[in-house]
Amino acid sequence: MFLRVAAILILTVVSCSGNPVTEFEDCGSTVGEINHIDITPCEYSSRCSIPRGSSVTLALNFTANAEITSAKTSIAGIINDNLYPFPVPLDACQHMECPLQKGSQAFYKNSFFLSAVLPPINATAKFELLDQLERRIVCFTVNVKLAW
């Protein structure tokens, strides 16, 4: 039992060590509650500055407010009120434990490559996890800057 608790604590610390995002907006989380968000690399001033041509890791800790048997990932950029979907694998359960019981904590961790061909631009990144009933487990937006 002690080893299991120690392993969970170590996983919690490792998954939540990075660059904590403190300035984000919840955009309608209903089936989960966001506890902690890390984006690496992310140099924070007024926006999360992310270099183009690099891998970005998103680590998300949340609490499930309902039973979750499956989940889908959706990531998009918002520029001038237009939504631009970012190509990511849909199956979020490849990046977190599924199924989840109501009240359990979950850790989602995924890495994405931002191509150097993307223009340097200020945008808003929108991240959603949807459950088996298409309800928003978590949804948040964060201001980003694709940097040189």
Side-chain angles (χ1 to χ4, degrees):
M1 179 69 175
F2 172 77
L3 290 177
R4 186 173 180 172
V5 171
I8 290 171
L9 287 174
I10 289 170
L11 275 173
T12 301
V13 170
V14 169
S15 69
C16 291
S17 62
N19 298 329
V21 174
T22 55
E23 295 181 32
F24 68 91
E25 283 193 38
D26 189 299
C27 51
S29 302
T30 57
V31 186
E33 181 178 331
I34 298 169
N35 300 323
H36 190 86
I37 303 168
D38 284 331
I39 298 175
T40 305
C42 172
E43 296 297 321
Y44 235 107
S45 55
S46 62
R47 294 183 169 271
C48 180
S49 181
I50 302 171
R52 297 172 308 126
S54 67
S55 262
V56 178
T57 300
L58 169 66
L60 171 66
N61 171 294
F62 67 93
T63 302
N65 293 335
E67 184 177 336
I68 298 167
T69 58
S70 65
K72 293 190 298 188
T73 305
S74 172
I75 299 177
I78 302 170
I79 303 167
N80 296 328
D81 294 326
N82 293 310
L83 197 66
Y84 299 94
F86 189 81
V88 294
L90 285 179
D91 186 4
C93 293
Q94 294 176 1
H95 305 283
M96 65 183 219
E97 184 179 326
C98 290
L100 294 170
Q101 298 301 314
K102 180 179 181 176
S104 64
Q105 278 201 16
F107 302 96
Y108 174 94
K109 188 171 184 179
N110 200 349
S111 294
F112 317 95
F113 183 75
L114 288 180
S115 174
V117 271
L118 292 170
I121 193 166
N122 291 334
T124 300
K126 180 179 181 180
F127 176 84
E128 288 182 293
L129 288 178
L130 303 172
D131 75 357
Q132 66 278 1
L133 301 174
E134 297 291 319
R135 298 176 297 184
R136 285 186 176 134
I137 301 169
V138 294
C139 179
F140 69 88
T141 60
V142 62
N143 291 328
V144 296
K145 175 183 180 179
L146 299 184
W148 292 101

